[in-house]
């Protein structure tokens, strides 16, 4: 079995869990503490779910705890809306941080004191180089950097300047606080990295109390230490930051020794997993919002009808590795389908309706037909579906000049209407433009229940809805949000948007679906898994197709 085929999180073994197991065996920790550290500058997406499942999963596997910590160090981009949505999404995924909800901003005073500590030790200084100059002085991968002319400022001058930065005496960008490490280091992150910058901005939690904000590197590891995090798990792009993470922990009077470990981020085909890009899709109106069912956000997936367990199963299946790769979206769909197949009750909905009149069925009569809620699971019971002389069937289930292999409706051919009767198409009625608007059929009363008494066979079973009793419904069908597997690989990712990612159909569904509960999955026979959208009104449901029935992943695997 390859690393990516680990069965699920409970039994999962991966290099992170190996490290934890070893640390526990060696007595390095009494207990395991992990954390999920989102920046509240957008909604969570399925990539974050990988990190959430890993952090909470490791904590659960080793009877430790996992904190939820908001990395709220950039007030310019952060909002309460995101803080709330992130908590809702983590809970929806099925994880509980208990009392362990933290904010990096709660540590601002302590972080400030530690910055002063570094200044006092001659290990940090205030620099007045502009951002551009700083870039020039930093050097390149092959050339060492050049020390800033402000690098040798006295401790007193630095303390005074830093205190005045805090007091709000300077405009944004006037100066920064930098760690004094090594301008010649082979690791650019150690060439006197910035620890604090001036931002005269209102913070969602600390208001106007601060005019300087710690950057990620200074806030993150120290927050880990304050919270007693033992294993700080992040994505591979932070590997080069680890020496700085360690340097800060070593040079500050922190009373814990967290360690950082990096794993590969999730990339998925046909979508983007970058908050900046997702934000752009929302702000420029390419989607209806963060929770648009086409979005890879957790709120989008939830609205679309994807069960949280499918996201967890997916995270378990892909596992945790140290090398970047891109996962096929079909694998995710497969996880969704797998769960819904077992749990979703079956219903009938005609997406693109075509009227059928059964000429020999008595006018004005209605009979109730028993239909199983789940043919493979009798425990799910059955329901009664009204049948009458006028019905709707799927437009695609009729073809006028059909080839021999088309087993559905065409003049002269008999088919089964699911649970009801055998019907034979006699004639197609067209409008002035030649479009088929109605089928005239006859039924065989002897075939009630959809069984023929004489062993006569039909090759197609069609779903249907009684025209009089059917409930008009708006059905939203989704395709990939992007046309190519790797959006943006050849230019602007927006150019790769799929213009047909949403198709809206005026459909009819059986009466049992009139007041379908929002978010509760059902299978529309032959069409896929659906759930009612919050846009539904009483008696006027709106459905999202969560995923179609065809499982291209299973097929691929067979090959
Ligand atoms: P940004 O770089 O815009 O901050 P981000 O996606 O890194 O975006 P964070 O809020 O910092 O956003 O992410 C929180 C946690 O989720 C981090 O530990 C990050 O490593 C992890 N994470 C983010 N994207 C992915 C991904 N695609 N796969 C796995 N983990 C991810
Ligand atoms: Mg980040």
């Amino acid at each position: 079995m390859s690393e990516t085929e680990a069965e699920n999180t409970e039994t999962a073994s991966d290099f992170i869990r190996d490290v934890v197991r070893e640390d526990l065996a060696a007595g390095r920790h009494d207990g395991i503490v992990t954390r999920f550290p989102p920046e509240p500058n957008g909604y969570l997406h399925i990539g974050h779910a990988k990190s959430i499942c890993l952090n909470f999963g490791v904590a659960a596997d080793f009877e430790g705890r996992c904190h939820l910590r908001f990395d709220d160090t950039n007030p310019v981009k952060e909002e309460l809306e995101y803080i709330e949505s992130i908590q809702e999404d983590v809970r929806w995924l099925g994880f509980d941080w208990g009392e362990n909800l933290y904010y990096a901003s709660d540590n601002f005073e302590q972080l400030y004191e530690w910055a002063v500590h570094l200044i006092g030790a001659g290990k940090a200084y205030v620099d007045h180089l502009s951002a551009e100059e700083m870039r020039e002085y930093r050097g390149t991968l092959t050339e060492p950097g050049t020390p800033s002319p402000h690098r040798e400022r006295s401790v007193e001058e630095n303390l005074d300047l830093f205190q005045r930065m805090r007091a709000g005496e300077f405009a944004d960008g006037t100066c920064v606080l930098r760690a004094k490490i090594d301008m010649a280091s082979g690791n650019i992150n150690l060439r006197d990295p910035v620890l604090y910058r001036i931002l005269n901005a209102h913070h969602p939690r600390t208001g106007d109390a601060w005019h300087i904000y710690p950057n990620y590197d200074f806030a993150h590891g120290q927050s880990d230490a304050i919270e007693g995090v033992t294993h700080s798990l992040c994505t591979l792009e932070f590997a080069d930051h680890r020496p700085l993470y360690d340097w800060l922990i070593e040079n500050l009077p922190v009373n814990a020794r967290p360690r950082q470990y990096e794993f590969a981020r999730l990339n998925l085909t046909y979508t983007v997993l970058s908050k900046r890009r997702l934000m752009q899709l929302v702000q420029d109106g390419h989607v209806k919002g963060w929770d648009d069912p086409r979005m890879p956000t957790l709120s989008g997936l939830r609205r679309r009808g994807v069960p949280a367990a499918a996201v967890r199963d997916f995270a378990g299946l892909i596992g945790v590795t140290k090398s970047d790769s891109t996962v096929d979206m079909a694998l995710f769909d497969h996880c969704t389908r797998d769960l819904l197949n077992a749990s979703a009750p079956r219903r009938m909905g005609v997406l693109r309706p075509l009227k059928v009149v059964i000429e020999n069925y008595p006018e004005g009569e209605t009979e109730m037909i028993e239909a199983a809620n789940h043919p493979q699971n009798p425990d799910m019971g059955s329901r009664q579906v009204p049948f009458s002389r006028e019905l709707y069937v799927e437009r695609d289930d009729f073809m006028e000049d059909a080839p021999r292999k088309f087993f559905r409706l065409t003049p002269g051919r008999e088919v089964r209407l699911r649970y009801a009767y055998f019907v034979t198409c006699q004639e197609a009625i067209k409008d002035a433009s030649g479009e088929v608007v109605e089928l005239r059929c006859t039924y065989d009363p002897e075939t009630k229940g959809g069984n023929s008494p004489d062993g006569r066979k039909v090759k197609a079973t069609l779903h249907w809805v009684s025209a009089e009793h059917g409930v008009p419904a708006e059905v939203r069908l989704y395709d990939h949000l992007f046309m190519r597997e790797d959006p943006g690989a050849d230019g602007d990712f927006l150019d790769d948007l799929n213009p047909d990612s949403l198709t809206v159909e005026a459909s009819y569904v059986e009466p049992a679906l009139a007041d379908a509960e929002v978010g509760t999955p059902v299978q529309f026979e032959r069409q896929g898994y659906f759930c009612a959208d919050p846009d539904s009104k009483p008696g006027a449901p709106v459905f999202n197709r969560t995923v179609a029935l065809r499982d291209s992943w299973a097929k691929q695997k067979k090959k």
Side-chain angles (χ1 to χ4, degrees):
M1 193 169 78
S2 81
E3 257 180 305
T4 50
E5 281 169 354
E7 272 310 309
N8 59 50
T9 34
E10 279 100 59
T11 57
S13 188
D14 51 58
F15 76 96
I16 301 271
R17 285 170 168 87
D18 289 346
V19 166
V20 171
R21 209 170 282 121
E22 225 177 276
D23 284 350
L24 285 172
R28 283 184 203 110
H29 306 287
D30 298 331
I32 292 304
V33 183
T34 58
R35 85 287 168 268
F36 173 64
E39 184 182 355
N41 61 353
Y43 280 61
L44 296 182
H45 55 63
I46 188 165
H48 294 116
K50 174 175 181 175
S51 173
I52 296 167
C53 290
L54 174 64
N55 278 293
F56 281 92
V58 165
D61 286 359
F62 296 95
E63 289 165 23
R65 58 177 205 269
C66 180
H67 298 178
L68 175 61
R69 181 202 318 143
F70 287 101
D71 239 334
D72 54 346
T73 56
N74 184 3
V76 181
K77 293 196 171 158
E78 295 160 7
E79 287 175 27
L80 276 177
E81 178 193 347
Y82 304 135
I83 292 183
E84 283 160 12
S85 73
I86 288 169
Q87 296 188 47
E88 186 185 350
D89 289 348
V90 175
R91 265 193 218 105
W92 173 74
L93 252 194
F95 298 106
D96 182 7
W97 54 88
E99 293 168 353
N100 300 298
L101 176 62
Y102 302 97
Y103 294 85
S105 58
D106 289 342
N107 303 326
F108 280 173
E109 192 63 46
Q110 174 69 78
L111 292 170
Y112 179 83
E113 277 171 35
W114 281 339
V116 167
H117 174 92
L118 285 180
I119 295 172
K123 290 175 181 167
Y125 61 98
V126 173
D127 197 356
H128 278 78
L129 288 184
S130 68
E132 198 183 318
E133 287 167 327
M134 218 180 293
R135 218 171 298 125
E136 282 164 19
Y137 278 71
R138 187 167 291 135
T140 64
L141 288 174
T142 50
E143 288 164 44
T146 314
S148 161
H150 312 293
R151 199 172 195 258
E152 300 307 328
R153 271 179 171 146
S154 69
V155 168
E156 291 68 33
E157 191 183 357
N158 281 319
L159 285 175
D160 175 62
L161 282 168
F162 189 50
Q163 188 277 322
R164 289 165 63 197
M165 282 168 66
R166 173 181 183 161
E169 285 187 30
F170 309 124
D172 288 7
T174 310
C175 50
V176 294
L177 183 75
R178 298 177 73 172
K180 192 172 180 177
I181 307 180
D182 179 5
M183 285 307 290
S185 171
N187 184 334
I188 292 191
N189 291 291
L190 293 180
R191 294 185 189 169
D192 294 8
V194 172
L195 304 181
Y196 269 91
R197 73 269 197 223
I198 298 173
L199 280 176
N200 291 289
H202 187 86
H203 187 282
R205 288 179 55 83
T206 59
D208 299 312
W210 291 89
H211 300 275
I212 53 173
Y213 290 92
N215 75 347
Y216 172 87
D217 288 309
F218 193 60
H220 197 84
Q222 283 45 256
S223 297
D224 284 342
I226 290 168
E227 292 174 27
V229 167
T230 54
H231 297 78
S232 181
L233 313 178
C234 62
T235 40
L236 289 176
E237 62 275 23
F238 290 99
D240 288 345
H241 294 237
R242 187 169 4 105
L244 175 56
Y245 184 102
D246 291 341
W247 186 91
L248 288 165
I249 292 289
E250 276 153 24
N251 285 281
L252 288 170
V254 296
N255 48 20
R257 186 70 178 77
R259 286 194 182 273
Q260 175 184 304
Y261 299 90
E262 307 88 20
F263 63 95
R265 67 189 297 114
L266 170 66
N267 302 300
L268 256 190
T269 55
Y270 298 105
T271 194
V272 292
L273 296 181
S274 134
K275 275 192 278 190
R276 188 178 51 76
R277 287 177 168 186
L278 294 174
M279 175 81 77
Q280 200 177 340
L281 293 175
V282 173
Q283 287 181 341
D284 297 354
H286 299 292
V287 293
K288 291 185 208 162
W290 285 100
D291 69 344
D292 187 303
R294 290 166 293 181
M295 291 280 273
T297 51
L298 297 184
S299 50
L301 297 175
R302 177 166 67 236
R303 181 167 181 176
R304 184 165 171 152
V306 173
V311 181
R312 293 194 302 266
D313 286 356
F314 174 68
L317 266 178
I318 58 174
V320 181
T321 64
K322 279 194 241 193
S323 55
D324 274 316
S325 66
T326 300
V327 177
D328 195 331
M329 182 70 97
L331 176 62
F332 180 59
D333 289 344
H334 168 79
C335 293
T336 304
R337 237 180 240 120
D338 226 32
L339 277 178
L340 293 180
N341 178 37
S343 64
R346 275 46 172 169
R347 296 287 182 259
M348 291 194 285
V350 174
L351 302 190
R352 299 179 192 87
L354 174 62
K355 174 78 83 63
V356 166
V357 177
I358 307 195
E359 293 180 310
N360 58 339
Y361 193 87
E363 263 176 79
E365 193 169 308
T366 298
E367 67 182 298
M368 298 308 280
I369 302 270
E370 181 169 15
N373 285 334
H374 197 305
Q376 285 82 48
N377 182 1
D379 291 347
M380 287 175 74
S382 64
R383 68 203 187 274
Q384 301 289 319
V385 187
F387 184 89
S388 61
R389 180 180 154 91
E390 299 199 353
L391 312 165
Y392 292 114
V393 298
E394 211 64 61
R395 192 160 275 280
D396 289 349
D397 281 339
F398 171 78
M399 198 184 270
E400 192 166 22
D401 299 307
R404 269 202 19 232
K405 291 228 158 131
F406 184 83
F407 300 120
R408 294 170 271 167
L409 288 167
T410 191
R413 189 153 303 160
E414 188 172 45
V415 301
R416 175 189 293 110
L417 293 182
R418 181 80 155 148
Y419 298 118
Y421 294 102
F422 283 16
V423 298
T424 305
C425 179
Q426 304 297 347
E427 189 190 355
I429 312 283
K430 297 178 184 171
D431 64 10
S433 69
E435 202 194 331
V436 175
V437 290
E438 185 179 303
L439 301 181
R440 293 269 156 175
C441 298
T442 51
Y443 85 122
D444 177 355
E446 300 301 311
T447 57
K448 183 158 179 158
N451 309 305
S452 79
D454 57 7
R456 196 160 89 233
K457 293 244 178 345
V458 289
K459 285 203 166 147
T461 300
L462 310 186
H463 60 280
W464 51 272
V465 169
S466 163
E468 186 192 334
H469 307 89
V471 177
E474 177 180 324
V475 172
R476 300 173 181 168
L477 304 175
Y478 302 106
D479 195 357
H480 293 137
L481 185 50
F482 292 91
M483 291 179 294
R484 45 185 297 167
E485 288 189 11
D486 48 356
D490 277 349
D492 187 350
F493 80 108
L494 293 174
D495 293 338
D496 296 326
L497 275 166
N498 177 4
D500 301 317
S501 58
L502 168 63
T503 312
V504 178
E505 302 287 358
S507 309
Y508 284 93
V509 298
E510 62 170 270
L513 290 169
D515 297 305
E517 201 181 325
V518 169
T520 303
V522 290
Q523 186 196 89
F524 288 9
E525 295 209 14
R526 301 174 65 224
Q527 296 292 1
Y529 297 97
F530 293 75
C531 76
D533 187 85
D535 287 346
S536 299
K537 305 261 178 323
V542 175
F543 287 97
N544 295 312
R545 179 153 70 188
T546 312
V547 64
L549 286 185
R550 202 173 66 95
D551 192 337
S552 56
W553 176 258
K555 269 192 200 150
Q556 222 166 293
K557 252 181 27 183
K558 260 191 203 155
K559 270 189 212 161

